[in-house]
Amino acid sequence: MDDLLAARSTMAFSLGFHIIFASIGMVMPFFMAVAHFLYLKKNRTEDLELTKLWMKGVAILFAVGAVSGTVLSFELGLLWPGFMKHAGAIIGMPFSWEGTAFFLEAIAIGLYLYGWNRMNRWVHWTAGLIVGISGFASGVFVVAANSWMNSPAGFEWVNGQAINIDPVAAMFNRSWLHQTLHMQVAAIQAVGFAVAGMHAFLLLKRKNSTLHMRALKIAMAFATVASLIQPLVGHFAAQKVAEYQPAKLAAMEAHFHTEPRASLIIGGIPDVNTGEVHGAIKLPGMLSFLAFNDFNATVKGLYDFPREDWPPVMVTHFAFQIMVGLGSLMIGLGLLYVFLIRKNILPNWFLKILIGAAPLGFVAIEAGWVVTEVGRQPWIIYGVMKTRDAVTPMPGIQFHFYLFLVLYLFLSFVTAWLFRRQLQVAEGNMTKEAQGD
């Protein structure tokens, strides 16, 4: 493993780990706020128990997310000094705003955890809501910084130096809106299905649990709405990628030849040597329509770009196919849930499907970030700086990768153990109350 591959692997593993906890940290507080709101309005014991159960989960994940996010910030400077030398002054603003949002989130979660029976109950509820809002804002600012790497703006590049820097233009670059919308909606989908799957499992063990049924309905309400919105957001994002990063779109679709009435490719194995895609299903004109709202529009193919500037086609194409396939599956599950809930039934077979669907949203998020990051290669700042020119000259980066691999595996084990313990305690409390009744 050379230093460039080690640095990219370290960053990929760190981001892949952090994004799961960041997504949960952004969305779970809203679930918690809904349950708490229902308790305040209807005074149901189950809503209070559910709020406190989810609150403990939010606290655990906040701690893990804070650690993994700090590691990512550290790695930006350690692994990519060539990037930070120029980008730090340009995209410092969204990172500083993200720090402010994180500061608010930390204060709000502290007030919420220790505010029970010590604060006005609606002020206490508002503190919980602020945890979600500030967490969501953090996500928006971080994605805005990432989107700048895809659509660099707010500076002039002269003789290898960035001059005339405008941090506002850099932050609100052409890609920030579609990337932010796509990621935030995906986070709601992923967390909604994960939480629904967990409570479906517990509901199968305890069929008459009002708490788990209420939890499942709250989670599925978020997951279903997000799943139905995501195709519109994804279409918007794909059109912007077609406009701003046509080579990435071509790699996503394994589209080699520039042509009008371009086909949408489903599945298949791309062959970069022959420009063919073996075993794919082709829908004529659909790629042109998805990219430009016109079945006859011309879509640029990879052969229009220098070979050395192609993203890794195989990885980008497979990741895109996985993301779209899982997104389509989640739409189907959302519609099936609406159908069943309107009939006021949630049969065991559907609960079992939800258990199996629990990780789908997170797999889709990971695949989506592979498309975003691998599809931008070989550039770290699109069209300005190549990734190989930004990596640290420090030797031995592979040892850093191994060290953080062990650290993340340890954090995963501790987090899973803490969650399992919290669920066991909650189950034990409910059993005691049931026996007391």
Side-chain angles (χ1 to χ4, degrees), residues 73-364:
S73 305
F74 167 70
E75 287 177 344
L76 271 177
L78 176 70
L79 302 176
W80 311 106
F83 170 75
M84 291 306 294
K85 175 184 176 183
H86 302 288
I90 305 172
I91 57 172
M93 194 170 80
F95 281 126
S96 66
W97 287 17
E98 191 271 340
T100 304
F102 177 75
F103 183 61
L104 288 174
E105 186 181 2
I107 292 173
I109 201 168
L111 290 173
Y112 193 76
L113 287 172
Y114 295 102
W116 292 96
N117 303 321
R118 295 186 177 90
M119 298 168 64
N120 173 282
R121 61 183 196 156
W122 284 107
V123 173
H124 182 227
W125 174 79
T126 303
L129 186 63
I130 290 174
V131 175
I133 294 172
S134 52
F136 222 67
S138 290
V140 169
F141 297 138
V142 169
V143 175
N146 176 270
S147 67
W148 176 83
M149 297 163 72
N150 294 317
S151 294
F155 67 101
E156 293 178 34
W157 191 250
V158 179
N159 297 327
Q161 298 292 325
I163 61 172
N164 297 327
I165 292 170
D166 179 350
V168 176
M171 179 171 166
F172 298 106
N173 60 77
R174 296 184 302 176
S175 292
W176 86 271
L177 181 59
H178 71 262
Q179 273 198 230
T180 297
L181 286 174
H182 202 26
M183 175 59 214
Q184 305 305 79
V185 175
I188 297 171
Q189 272 183 291
V191 178
F193 277 106
V195 173
M198 184 182 73
H199 287 284
F201 173 76
L202 295 170
L203 202 53
L204 281 174
K205 290 176 64 178
R206 184 185 293 276
K207 294 184 183 299
N208 297 320
S209 170
T210 307
L211 183 150
H212 294 311
M213 179 59 77
R214 202 156 286 150
L216 188 148
K217 288 182 177 178
I218 291 172
M220 280 306 295
F222 277 88
T224 300
V225 172
S227 295
L228 297 180
I229 291 173
Q230 189 64 287
L232 302 176
V233 176
H235 178 55
F236 172 59
Q239 290 194 323
K240 295 304 177 186
V241 171
E243 183 178 355
Y244 306 143
Q245 294 180 285
K248 178 186 283 186
L249 179 77
M252 288 158 58
E253 273 296 315
H255 180 64
F256 290 94
H257 303 277
T258 298
E259 58 187 3
R261 199 171 172 73
S263 298
L264 181 72
I265 293 176
I266 299 175
I269 301 174
D271 185 337
V272 295
N273 296 317
T274 63
E276 300 292 329
V277 183
H278 304 291
I281 299 172
K282 296 185 178 182
L283 304 177
M286 285 303 297
L287 180 59
S288 295
F289 176 77
L290 290 175
F292 301 107
N293 289 332
D294 180 353
F295 286 103
N296 296 310
T298 298
V299 180
K300 278 189 174 182
L302 284 163
Y303 286 133
D304 257 21
F305 303 92
R307 184 67 181 84
E308 64 270 20
D309 289 346
W310 286 16
V313 178
M314 188 84 78
V315 175
T316 309
H317 177 67
F318 284 161
F320 182 64
Q321 296 290 312
I322 290 170
M323 181 187 70
V324 173
L326 293 180
S328 302
L329 188 55
M330 286 186 280
I331 294 171
L333 287 175
L335 292 173
L336 182 57
Y337 171 74
V338 172
F339 173 77
L340 293 172
I341 208 70
R342 283 174 65 86
K343 289 182 171 295
N344 202 27
I345 55 170
L346 281 178
N348 285 353
W349 58 263
F350 183 71
L351 296 179
K352 291 176 182 175
I353 289 176
L354 285 182
I355 295 170
L360 295 187
F362 290 116
V363 176

